[in-house]
Amino acid sequence: GENVEQHPSTLSVQEGDSAVIKCTYSDSASNYFPWYKQELGKRPQLIIDIRSNVGEKKDQRIAVTLNKTAKHFSLHITETQPEDSAVYFCAASHWGISGTYKYIFGTGTRLKVLA
Amino acid sequence: DTEVTQTPKHLVMGMTNKKSLKCEQHMGHRAMYWYKQKAKKPPELMFVYSYEKLSINESVPSRFSPECPNSSLLNLHLHALQPEDSALYLCASSQGFLAGTDTQYFGPGTRLTVL
C-alpha cells in the first residue's frame, strides 16, 4: 500500500545551525504535502505545506522543497532555536475523484536543538 | 474562532463501558476527521466525514462508531474497547474537498486509557 518514508528518525543540531528532514512518498497521485510540528503532549500543528504544482515554498526560517519526479520533499529549518525542538511529521495527501482519500503521515523526526 | 476543540481531555474506561468523544469546530469547515495516535507514532486516519456524510472508514473495528450530527460537531462512540485501543484520539477539520484544499487543523486530542 501507499506509504511515506521519513528520515532521519532523530536529529540533533547546535542552536543556529540548519536542520533538514526528508520524506519520500509512493503514491504518484499525492498532490498535497504538509509538515506538522508536534510538541510533547500537544496537538500536531501545521508549520508549512506545499502543493504539487509548486517546487519550493518559504516562510521565514522554514522552507519546503518538492521533487515530484523523484517523489520526495524536504523540510529545511535555518537558524534553529531551542524552541524548534519537537517531533516533525511530513504527510502526503490526495482526494480521489472516485471519493477515495489518503492522508498518510511519515514516521516522524525527533529534532533536538542544543543550546 | 480558529480552533478545533475536543472533550474530554482524558478518559479512563473499562472494557465493558460505553463512552463518547466529542469534537467541535466553528471555522465553517465541511470535512472532519478522526485519528488515532499511539505513543511515538504518527497519527493514523480512522474516519473522514465530508459534508456530514461518512466518506472514508479505514477498516476500523465496529467498537468505534463515528457520528456527525451537524457540520460543526463530530462524535466518536466507544463500546467494548480493548486495552490496545488506549491512545491519543485526535480530531481534525479542513475546508473540504470541494474547496480544493485539505489543510487539516487538529484538536488537542483525548487521551484514552482502557483498563
Side-chain angles (χ1 to χ4, degrees):
Chain A
E2 298 93 342
N3 72 313
V4 177
E5 293 185 3
Q6 184 171 345
H7 299 282
S9 56
T10 59
L11 178 61
S12 293
V13 299
Q14 289 294 136
E15 182 178 2
D17 287 351
S18 296
V20 180
I21 303 170
K22 299 182 179 182
C23 286
T24 303
Y25 61 98
S26 60
D27 187 351
S28 57
S30 297
N31 57 11
Y32 173 67
F33 307 92
W35 285 91
Y36 289 89
K37 174 184 180 182
Q38 188 173 28
E39 297 178 62
L40 190 62
K42 302 264 181 89
R43 74 187 81 190
Q45 293 208 300
L46 181 75
I47 56 171
I48 196 166
D49 56 10
I50 193 167
R51 300 197 178 277
S52 57
N53 57 349
V54 176
E56 185 174 356
K57 184 177 177 181
K58 190 173 180 180
D59 182 4
Q60 299 183 356
R61 297 187 297 111
I62 296 172
V64 56
T65 58
L66 171 65
N67 182 328
K68 279 202 69 180
T69 303
K71 294 185 194 170
H72 66 69
F73 55 113
S74 300
L75 177 71
H76 304 254
I77 306 174
T78 59
E79 301 171 24
T80 54
Q81 301 166 3
E83 51 265 38
D84 294 329
S85 296
V87 177
Y88 290 80
F89 291 103
C90 63
S93 169
H94 77 274
W95 281 99
I97 295 176
S98 60
T100 59
Y101 180 71
K102 294 295 179 185
Y103 207 101
I104 301 173
F105 282 82
T107 48
T109 295
R110 183 170 300 278
L111 173 65
K112 294 181 183 177
V113 180
L114 307 172
Chain B
D1 188 347
T2 58
E3 273 209 343
V4 178
T5 59
Q6 288 186 245
T7 56
K9 288 186 179 180
H10 302 275
L11 178 62
V12 179
M13 61 186 290
M15 289 189 284
T16 58
N17 292 157
K18 286 185 180 180
K19 297 286 184 182
S20 296
L21 309 184
K22 296 185 183 300
C23 175
E24 189 168 5
Q25 57 88 14
H26 293 289
M27 295 181 277
H29 288 172
R30 301 310 298 273
M32 296 185 77
Y33 313 79
W34 280 115
Y35 286 86
K36 175 182 178 180
Q37 187 178 25
K38 300 283 270 184
K40 299 185 180 181
K41 297 290 185 181
E44 294 179 27
L45 186 63
M46 299 173 72
F47 301 105
V48 180
Y49 272 83
S50 178
Y51 294 83
E52 295 91 72
K53 292 185 179 178
L54 182 64
S55 57
I56 301 291
N57 176 341
E58 292 285 7
S59 304
V60 179
S62 59
R63 56 185 184 270
F64 295 92
S65 175
E67 178 196 18
C68 189
N70 59 53
S71 60
S72 300
L73 293 173
L74 185 66
N75 299 323
L76 186 63
H77 302 298
L78 315 172
H79 174 53
L81 294 193
Q82 304 296 310
E84 59 264 31
D85 296 322
S86 299
L88 180 68
Y89 287 84
L90 292 161
C91 173
S93 71
S94 71
Q95 289 187 30
F97 173 56
L98 295 181
T101 175
D102 53 359
T103 301
Q104 294 191 14
Y105 299 89
F106 283 85
T110 293
R111 187 156 302 280
L112 173 68
T113 302
V114 182
L115 301 176

